[in-house]
Amino acid sequence: MRYIEIEKERIPYEFEMEFDGEIYQFEILYNSYGDYFTINLYHNHEPVIIGEKIVLHQPLFDGFEHLDIPMFIVIPYDTTESALRITYENLNEDVFLYVLDKAN
């Protein structure tokens, strides 16, 4: 199982991932006032989903199958099973964004 490596010290930043032979761009943002992260999804550098809040144990981009999104699921999962929410301190330390193929 793979996960998306988040480089918190680089936020805000963009990176690319390939799904089903297509390249998608992701932008990670952090709201220090509310202590939460959001993610933007682009395809061919065109916005698809903007401002998706990253919530513990909630699949990202859920319910947007009608849009131009890849066939995958990203689930923020706490490996310690003790976190109540995602924070700057626990993201990519205990909480990781796991990528699952929707076909599975």
Side-chain angles (χ1 to χ4, degrees), residues 32 45 86 97 102 104:
S32 59
H45 301 282
I86 298 172
L97 304 181
K102 283 187 181 178
N104 289 340

Side-chain angles (χ1 to χ4, degrees), residues 56-70:
L56 190 63
H57 303 297
Q58 299 298 313
L60 292 172
F61 316 126
D62 194 33
F64 293 104
E65 289 79 14
H66 62 286
L67 298 177
D68 184 18
I69 61 174

